[in-house]
Amino acid sequence: MKILVAVKRVIDYNVKVRVKADHSDVDLTNVKMAINPFCEIAVEEAVRLKEKGVATEVVAVSLGTKESQEQIRTALALGADRGILVETDEKLGALSVAKLLKAIVDEEKPDLVILGKQAIDSDNNQTGQMLAALAGLPQGTFASELTVEDGKASVTREVDGGLQTVSLSLPAIVTTDLRLNEPRYASLPNIMKAKRKPLDTKTPADLGVEVASSLTTLKVEPPAERSAGIKVGSVDELIEKLKTEAKVI
Amino acid sequence: MAILVVAEHDNAALGSATLNTVAAARQIGDEVHLLVAGSGCGSVAEASAAIEGVSKVLVADNAAYSHQLAENVSLLVAELGKGYSHILTSASTSGKNYLPRVAALLDVDQISDIIRVDSADTFARPIYAGNAIATVQSSAPIKVITVRSTGFDPVSATGGSAAVEQLDSAQDAGISSFVSEEMAKSDRPELGGAEIVVSGGRGMGNGENFEILYKLADKLGAAVGASRAAVDAGFVPNDMQVGQTGKIVAPNLYVAVGISGAIQHLAGMKDSKVIVAINKDEEAPIFQVADYGLVADLFEAVPELEGKL
């Protein structure tokens, strides 16, 4: 079976972002970019399914500017077979991404699509669910365990209060939680090999999708700063402060 | 036009986050309807009718909705939602699961995790792990929104007297099924709504050592949380995780024990009223947001603190 994995280029998770002085957006110039951590987990899971003999082909797709090629190459170095870049300079909202991915799903007809549960920049947690709705497919979101057999996917999901297991008929959409797996490191030979793997480039127009959003960002501001606190010297002093100064206990 | 709020519940009891979501809805408009979709959820419907500021409760009681499967619930909410200007639910794992599906079915963008209502079409939400707050305006015909509970004070659970209307809806997409669930049992308050939260990190060393935090928590009537490091190391289950990818809390008092304070953890707790950090590393970033910091060995400080309370 074929697995499609969607990967997003985002700011590296260790970088502390800065808001632009004109409050139009966060400043991404000269900032280290990387594959979204949840997407990396999605690639790893797809590659593991291939290594188990469940999957025969893993296709990595990314949507965005030309630079997103780097993240597709990362996915290829981790073990994906080929890549598709849907290139656009437009800022894509989750619904547009889901529509573009739906068009790719119609073309590629994968049995399973794996995405991260959320991108660490927009923090939306929407795309997988929207894709599932548009394609009329079942969804296993926030997956911490995935088993595929007999035309069904069994997904253990991380929910408030514990774990829930659902059974989905294939094809299906799965979004990854952090505990699904531990992504491998790409070895240098695999990085070299990845450079020769095929990578198709398309545009939203090729896919017949009009990219538009009903959302306008009016401004982006830094959050309220917390004023620096004090260090206390002992447990007694801490209790004293909490009782009389902060009045929280 | 009226606003539809989808209630959060487990078929037996109404989730407290619903009260925060109704509060957000009341800031948008006056007429708020509540949808209770579940199975055998009569007591939830009753509780919903008593919520302050709710004018109508719609109940879809059917086996298809018993485990809130996104495939089924989204069909119901999208169908019903066409008659509303806004559809809101809390940004719980359940709401995050089905609401984007509703938005896609209605062909509109969704706004996730709002913390502020500026007007009926303008909302604020955190991005980049809470390191920036975006103010977003929507021109969508139906605004589909998840609400961060900690951003809104709850409305009262009593005092309302909404009319209850039964729907005979049974949307079953037939493409997914519930298999099993494994819920963590705890007598302590629920993490999301607790007044005091005590959290442990990698510094706890192992799962058994969390016992000293449980003792402290019980003395304070607090919930117990954890950092990702503690969850990944297998000290405690994942549903205790506080952070960008776990639960967002904003209690009156947050006590971070043996937690360094990575960006992803701060995203989940930095709106707490008072933050206390106990850590032996004086340079730990958690001290930059803590109101009261104690540089000490947690294995001495925590039992001492517990003993002296």
Side-chain angles (χ1 to χ4, degrees):
Chain A
M1 64 178 235
K2 188 198 276 189
I3 301 182
L4 187 73
V5 191
V7 298
K8 184 177 184 184
R9 174 185 174 87
V10 297
I11 192 165
D12 184 90
Y13 73 97
N14 278 316
V15 175
K16 186 153 168 36
V17 297
R18 254 194 300 269
V19 172
K20 283 185 187 169
D22 67 357
H23 290 172
S24 60
D25 204 347
V26 298
D27 195 351
L28 294 181
T29 42
N30 300 321
V31 166
K32 187 180 174 202
M33 303 295 279
I35 187 169
N36 179 44
F38 290 97
C39 302
E40 205 173 0
I41 293 168
V43 175
E44 175 67 31
E45 195 64 18
V47 172
R48 286 187 191 188
L49 285 169
K50 194 181 164 196
E51 287 167 348
K52 279 185 204 153
V54 176
T56 47
E57 188 184 28
V58 176
V59 182
V61 56
S62 191
L63 308 87
T65 57
K66 190 178 284 168
E67 287 76 31
S68 295
Q69 274 193 24
E70 293 166 23
Q71 280 60 50
I72 297 180
R73 290 288 173 205
T74 305
L76 297 174
L78 292 171
D81 298 292
R82 63 186 169 88
I84 302 169
L85 170 66
V86 181
E87 196 182 318
T88 170
D89 290 332
E90 296 278 332
K91 239 187 160 182
L92 297 173
L95 185 63
S96 295
V97 171
K99 285 179 178 175
L100 291 164
L101 287 174
K102 158 72 165 58
I104 300 272
V105 165
D106 287 346
E107 274 184 11
E108 295 283 337
K109 302 195 167 44
D111 302 280
L112 192 63
V113 185
I114 312 182
L115 306 88
K117 80 164 178 181
Q118 78 191 58
I120 59 164
D121 51 0
S122 55
D123 279 335
N124 273 326
N125 196 333
Q126 299 173 1
T127 303
Q129 294 88 316
M130 287 181 161
L131 170 62
L134 297 175
L137 299 177
Q139 67 188 48
T141 52
F142 328 142
S144 59
E145 214 180 310
L146 169 64
T147 333
V148 180
E149 54 187 4
D150 306 330
K152 287 199 184 290
S154 170
V155 181
T156 300
R157 308 178 50 235
E158 301 203 348
V159 296
D160 294 334
L163 297 170
Q164 180 196 62
T165 303
V166 292
S167 174
L168 315 173
S169 49
L170 294 180
I173 312 290
V174 171
T175 73
T176 65
D177 217 314
L178 286 169
R179 261 149 298 279
L180 183 59
N181 61 49
E182 183 105 16
R184 69 194 66 188
Y185 289 100
S187 65
L188 188 58
N190 283 343
I191 293 170
M192 299 311 288
K193 249 188 266 173
K195 293 188 189 212
R196 292 192 300 273
K197 289 184 180 175
L199 199 168
D200 280 348
T201 302
K202 296 173 188 288
T203 65
D206 295 340
L207 296 167
V209 175
E210 203 180 313
V211 174
S213 175
S214 57
L215 302 180
T216 316
T217 299
L218 301 181
K219 62 182 173 197
V220 174
E221 294 166 300
E225 288 275 330
R226 283 193 81 93
S227 50
I230 55 157
K231 291 237 171 80
V232 294
S234 68
V235 168
D236 290 318
E237 194 186 340
L238 177 62
I239 293 174
E240 214 273 316
K241 294 274 185 203
L242 290 178
K243 278 190 173 151
T244 59
E245 204 174 277
K247 296 191 175 65
V248 284
I249 55 172
Chain B
M1 255 199 300
I3 297 161
L4 182 67
V5 171
V6 189
E8 164 99 18
H9 67 89
D10 63 357
N11 291 317
L14 185 73
S16 63
T18 303
L19 302 174
N20 308 77
T21 308
V22 170
R26 297 276 297 168
Q27 290 183 19
I28 298 169
D30 287 335
E31 196 179 348
V32 177
H33 297 180
L34 204 62
L35 169 66
V36 179
S39 174
C41 53
S43 56
V44 180
E46 255 173 62
S48 297
I51 297 176
E52 176 196 357
V54 173
S55 52
K56 186 154 84 170
V57 175
L58 303 161
V59 184
D61 198 326
N62 191 283
Y65 310 127
S66 58
H67 296 284
Q68 310 272 318
L69 289 176
E71 295 78 4
N72 301 347
V73 173
S74 61
L75 291 175
L76 168 71
V77 178
E79 179 61 37
L80 205 60
K82 282 178 189 149
Y84 289 87
S85 63
H86 296 71
I87 306 173
L88 273 65
T89 197
S90 53
S92 61
T93 50
S94 172
K96 286 175 182 171
N97 188 34
Y98 68 76
L99 207 66
R101 214 174 156 109
V102 171
L105 291 172
L106 294 170
D107 194 24
V108 294
D109 293 285
Q110 181 189 293
I111 309 170
S112 293
D113 236 0
I114 62 160
I115 55 169
R116 201 179 71 221
V117 172
D118 286 351
S119 71
D121 66 1
T122 306
F123 311 92
R125 59 176 302 262
I127 51 175
Y128 292 88
N131 287 300
I133 308 295
T135 304
V136 183
Q137 188 170 41
S138 167
S139 62
I142 304 174
K143 277 86 173 158
V144 177
I145 297 166
T146 60
V147 176
R148 180 175 289 194
S149 315
T150 57
F152 299 88
D153 291 331
V155 295
S156 167
T158 55
S161 56
V164 178
E165 188 182 311
Q166 300 287 334
L167 305 171
D168 54 0
S169 166
Q171 301 267 17
D172 190 347
I175 46 179
S176 62
S177 57
F178 169 83
V179 177
S180 62
E181 65 185 5
E182 206 179 304
M183 291 299 171
K185 290 204 170 48
S186 168
D187 297 332
R188 294 187 191 90
E190 187 228 338
L191 191 51
E195 295 281 310
I196 302 179
V197 173
V198 177
S199 279
R202 198 195 302 273
M204 297 305 296
N206 60 47
E208 284 82 65
N209 290 341
F210 260 73
E211 206 51 49
I212 62 171
L213 291 192
Y214 296 143
K215 278 193 194 153
L216 174 62
D218 290 343
K219 209 64 166 281
L220 291 164
V224 179
S227 69
R228 183 186 163 196
V231 173
D232 279 356
F235 299 173
V236 291
N238 168 58
D239 58 291
M240 285 170 63
Q241 189 187 326
V242 172
Q244 183 185 19
T245 65
K247 290 202 176 64
I248 312 287
V249 300
N252 282 333
L253 173 62
Y254 187 89
V255 186
V257 181
I259 292 176
S260 65
I263 294 173
Q264 291 77 13
H265 185 74
L266 299 183
M269 46 63 82
K270 69 177 175 185
D271 291 327
S272 305
K273 199 169 145 225
V274 174
I275 298 175
V276 169
I278 301 175
N279 204 305
K280 65 180 176 193
D281 174 13
E282 205 171 335
E283 303 297 316
I286 191 80
F287 287 119
Q288 292 161 21
V289 299
D291 299 283
Y292 303 105
L294 178 62
V295 180
D297 183 345
L298 68 94
F299 296 107
E300 286 162 19
V302 174
E304 186 187 343
L305 179 60
E306 190 248 326
K308 285 178 173 170
L309 282 170

